[in-house]
Amino acid sequence: MTILVIAEHDNSSLKPATLNTVTAASEIDGDIDILVAGSGCQAVADAAAQIAGVQKVILADHTCYEHQIAESMAPLIAELGKSYSHILAAATTGGKNFLPRAAALLDVDQISDIIEVKSADTFVRPIYAGNALATVQTEDAIKVITVRTTAFAEAEQGGSASVEASDFVAEQTMATFIEEQLSESERPELTAAKVIISGGRGMQNGENFVLLEKVADKLGAAIGASRAAVDAGFVPNDYQVGQTGKIVAPELYIAVGISGAIQHLAGMKDSKVIVAINKDEEAPIFQVADYGLVADLFKVLPELEQAL
């Protein structure tokens, strides 16, 4: 069996999600190749070649892949993927965008968001916001799969894979890149942070998130939010943790003023240690918390910041 992993990157550095995806691929037991598609991304290909267990890196370096637009990425993946038994990508915004299109071009089903590999054709994925796990088997000749990265450890370094250039160019006129607006923060990226402190509806307004920021600064933490807080306009939607937001699994997750709807729990319940602060002792968040504090967050957060 041969497995193709689609690299997640920004044309200058390889994203950790790629390492998690390689680990998932290694559990399928086959030769692993990595596709790096971008523009001016030789450094990314060199970094991918150093991942342990990788046999070959395919570098598709062209301006049409600079922003990894799905209309260009899908034909490339489908063309190169014809000779592989498995195609894997992280279940990130990018992977969810282009991989289903590649599966359609290959005329196969996609298996989404796997958290466990049972065998080469059988995988486990969460359903019903993580309240149930489905074991699914596919008979497709090519298995197209997105991987929930929080369920797999990062692959180690120490490889020495070869780098080969691909001359396949999928230029198209259907879609054009206009712009991207990236939020800039000195804090860690939410999906890669080891410590996250999140606020919910109980924060009451966006100004009160400064209380979380003070604690986050002491802990070197990223700041997240529940969908209720995002929908209320307290914080931007890139803060959102949950089924329709970002899936995280930090070493420490602190939930402040978050009741714990199943959609939010689906995005953070794999965290190693969960701390919940809520004045409602019946809040569902306490069912998954390792440590729970029933208290007024507006009193507790300043005390916590002072203690830290």
Side-chain angles (χ1 to χ4, degrees), residues 74-113:
L76 171 68
I77 295 168
E79 178 64 26
L80 297 179
K82 290 177 181 178
S83 58
Y84 289 88
S85 61
H86 298 72
I87 303 173
L88 274 66
T92 56
T93 303
K96 290 176 180 179
N97 189 20
F98 55 68
L99 208 60
R101 301 174 191 236
L105 292 173
L106 291 167
D107 195 25
V108 298
D109 294 324
Q110 177 179 295
I111 300 176
S112 303
D113 221 21

Side-chain angles (χ1 to χ4, degrees), residues 153-171:
E154 292 184 3
E156 297 181 357
Q157 302 294 317
S160 57
S162 60
V163 178
E164 297 182 4
S166 168
D167 57 3
F168 183 84
V169 177
E171 290 194 82

Side-chain angles (χ1 to χ4, degrees), residues 105-189:
L105 292 173
L106 291 167
D107 195 25
V108 298
D109 294 324
Q110 177 179 295
I111 300 176
S112 303
D113 221 21
I114 68 163
I115 61 171
E116 183 182 349
V117 176
K118 289 285 190 181
S119 68
D121 64 357
T122 306
F123 309 90
V124 179
R125 62 181 299 266
I127 58 175
Y128 303 130
N131 283 314
L133 299 178
T135 300
V136 294
Q137 186 176 39
T138 175
E139 296 181 354
D140 286 328
I142 302 174
K143 283 74 171 172
V144 178
I145 301 164
T146 58
V147 175
R148 177 171 291 195
T149 56
T150 56
F152 298 91
E154 292 184 3
E156 297 181 357
Q157 302 294 317
S160 57
S162 60
V163 178
E164 297 182 4
S166 168
D167 57 3
F168 183 84
V169 177
E171 290 194 82
Q172 49 77 37
T173 58
M174 293 182 292
T176 304
F177 176 79
I178 304 297
E179 67 172 350
E180 63 181 357
Q181 297 179 355
L182 301 177
S183 58
E184 296 183 2
S185 174
E186 295 181 357
R187 296 190 178 89
E189 184 182 354

